[in-house]
């Protein structure tokens, strides 16, 4: 059972924080960060707004990112082991991939690969304030947020909605714990539903015939084998305190050296 989860949305909305929390508890879980696929600085064009176009799809090597996703799809457990993720024996038939990024749903060849698409939002003022508190390898020049970052976010969100891409909107103003529990429960339910849907339906045995077996008595039907889903809800109320266990994060191979930008 494979599940690809997208954690997308606005810059500084809490995407990577949420992703890291999920990685600690989801079994056999790998992550691919879209920021690892930025093109080199000398390939980033300057737009009509006068700014380097970091927040457009063309700034990213999306073909390389898609190739990495396909590598996971072809052999999830081989991919996991190559990235330092241990396979849990109690969930060996479950493989999860999280994609984390700000333009996850704008690249058409990848849109239909997602099992779940989440989209974090925060208001303009909050987003601008969060952005101002961050230190980037390539610092934001004056006016970048209002002149480029926010307009591009609005543009791509409008396009996503116009294209009918279905997402689950998440309120980035909620606490980290609340967002984590909301998404974790949704993913767990999705996995549980898939497990139940894939469980084989037993064939009904023919009613026995012959003397001594009449009187309306039927042979008992064997119980349907149930998938092992105990691991889906092992945490109870203490899930928010998990600090250890589960796979360690190991980023996807970079397409072109270290990322010049770091986002949340």
């Amino acid at each position: 059972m494979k599940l690809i989860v997208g954690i997308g949305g606005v810059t500084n909305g809490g995407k990577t924080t949420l992703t890291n929390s999920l990685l600690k508890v989801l079994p056999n879980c790998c992550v691919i960060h879209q920021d690892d696929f930025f093109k080199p600085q000398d390939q980033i064009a300057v737009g009509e707004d006068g700014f380097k176009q970091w927040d457009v799809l063309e700034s990213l090597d999306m073909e390389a990112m898609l190739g990495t996703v396909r590598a996971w799809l072809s052999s999830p457990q081989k991919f996991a082991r190559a990235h330092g993720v241990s396979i849990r024996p109690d969930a060996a038939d479950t493989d999860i991939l999280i994609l984390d990024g700000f333009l996850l749903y704008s690249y058409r060849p990848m849109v239909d690969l997602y099992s779940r698409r989440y989209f974090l939002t925060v208001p303009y003022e909050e987003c601008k304030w969060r952005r101002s508190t961050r230190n980037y390898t390539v610092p934001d020049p004056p006016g970048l947020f209002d002149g480029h970052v926010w307009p591009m976010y609005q543009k791509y969100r409008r396009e996503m909605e116009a294209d009918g891409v279905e997402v689950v909107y998440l309120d980035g103003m909620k606490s980290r714990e609340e967002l984590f529990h909301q998404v974790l429960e949704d993913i767990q339910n999705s996995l549980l539903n898939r497990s139940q849907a894939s469980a084989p339906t037993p064939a009904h045995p023919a009613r026995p015939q012959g003397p001594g077996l009449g009187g309306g008595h039927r042979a008992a039907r064997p119980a349907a084998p149930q998938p092992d889903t105990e691991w889906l809800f092992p945490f109870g109320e203490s899930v928010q305190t998990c600090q250890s266990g589960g796979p360690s994060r190991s980023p996807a191979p970079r397409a072109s050296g270290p990322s010049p930008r770091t986002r949340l």
Side-chain angles (χ1 to χ4, degrees):
M1 180 168 52
K2 300 174 184 176
L3 196 76
I4 298 182
V5 177
I7 306 292
V10 68
T11 179
N12 290 273
K15 299 183 296 297
T16 302
T17 298
L18 176 58
T19 295
N20 290 339
S21 296
L22 293 170
L23 279 173
K24 293 178 181 179
V25 298
L26 292 174
N28 310 334
C29 187
C30 298
V31 61
I32 296 174
H33 298 282
Q34 192 174 41
D35 282 1
D36 289 336
F37 296 89
F38 272 111
K39 295 176 181 177
Q41 291 190 52
D42 59 4
Q43 295 183 25
I44 306 299
V46 176
E48 294 180 359
D49 55 18
F51 297 108
K52 283 267 192 177
Q53 302 295 287
W54 290 109
D55 287 68
V56 301
L57 196 61
E58 290 74 19
S59 70
L60 297 153
D61 189 345
M62 292 304 298
E63 290 186 7
M65 185 174 183
L66 177 58
T68 307
V69 173
R70 285 174 173 162
W72 178 87
L73 283 168
S74 67
S75 184
Q77 295 195 2
K78 179 180 179 181
F79 187 99
R81 293 188 182 97
H83 290 78
V85 177
S86 300
I87 304 302
R88 283 176 48 174
D90 60 337
D93 62 344
T94 299
D95 301 290
I96 302 172
L97 177 65
I98 297 179
L99 303 186
D100 159 34
F102 69 113
L103 288 178
L104 292 183
Y105 314 129
S106 299
Y107 185 60
R108 295 303 306 175
M110 280 175 46
V111 168
D112 293 333
L113 297 180
Y114 296 98
S115 310
R116 304 293 289 171
R117 305 183 197 92
Y118 299 99
F119 193 96
L120 280 148
T121 66
V122 293
Y124 163 82
E125 291 293 346
E126 175 69 16
C127 186
K128 186 175 183 178
W129 176 79
R130 292 185 187 184
R131 179 91 179 196
S132 70
T133 64
R134 299 299 305 278
N135 293 318
Y136 292 99
T137 305
V138 180
D140 284 354
L144 179 70
F145 184 85
D146 287 316
H148 177 64
V149 175
W150 190 256
M152 290 299 103
Y153 160 68
Q154 293 179 309
K155 170 183 179 292
Y156 282 106
R157 179 174 174 176
R158 285 194 301 268
E159 291 177 355
M160 176 191 74
E161 293 171 343
D163 288 341
V165 178
E166 295 183 3
V167 300
V168 177
Y169 288 101
L170 301 174
D171 182 358
M173 298 297 287
K174 291 182 178 180
S175 69
R176 296 179 179 184
E177 292 77 13
E178 190 174 358
L179 285 170
F180 168 63
H181 279 285
Q182 177 184 346
V183 175
L184 178 62
E185 181 179 357
D186 191 45
I187 292 173
Q188 288 172 328
N189 287 333
S190 179
L191 288 168
L192 185 60
N193 290 337
R194 283 167 173 250
S195 295
Q196 293 174 341
S198 62
T201 302
H204 296 163
R207 181 179 297 182
Q209 302 294 326
L213 294 176
H217 296 289
R218 293 186 180 183
R221 295 179 181 176
Q226 296 297 316
D228 182 5
T229 57
E230 290 184 1
W231 61 268
L232 284 174
F233 300 94
F235 306 104
E237 294 301 320
S238 63
V239 67
Q240 64 182 354
T241 64
C242 62
Q243 297 296 328
S244 61
S248 61
R249 166 178 164 181
S250 183
R254 296 181 182 273
S256 52
S259 170
R261 309 290 286 175
T262 304
R263 302 172 186 274
L264 271 184

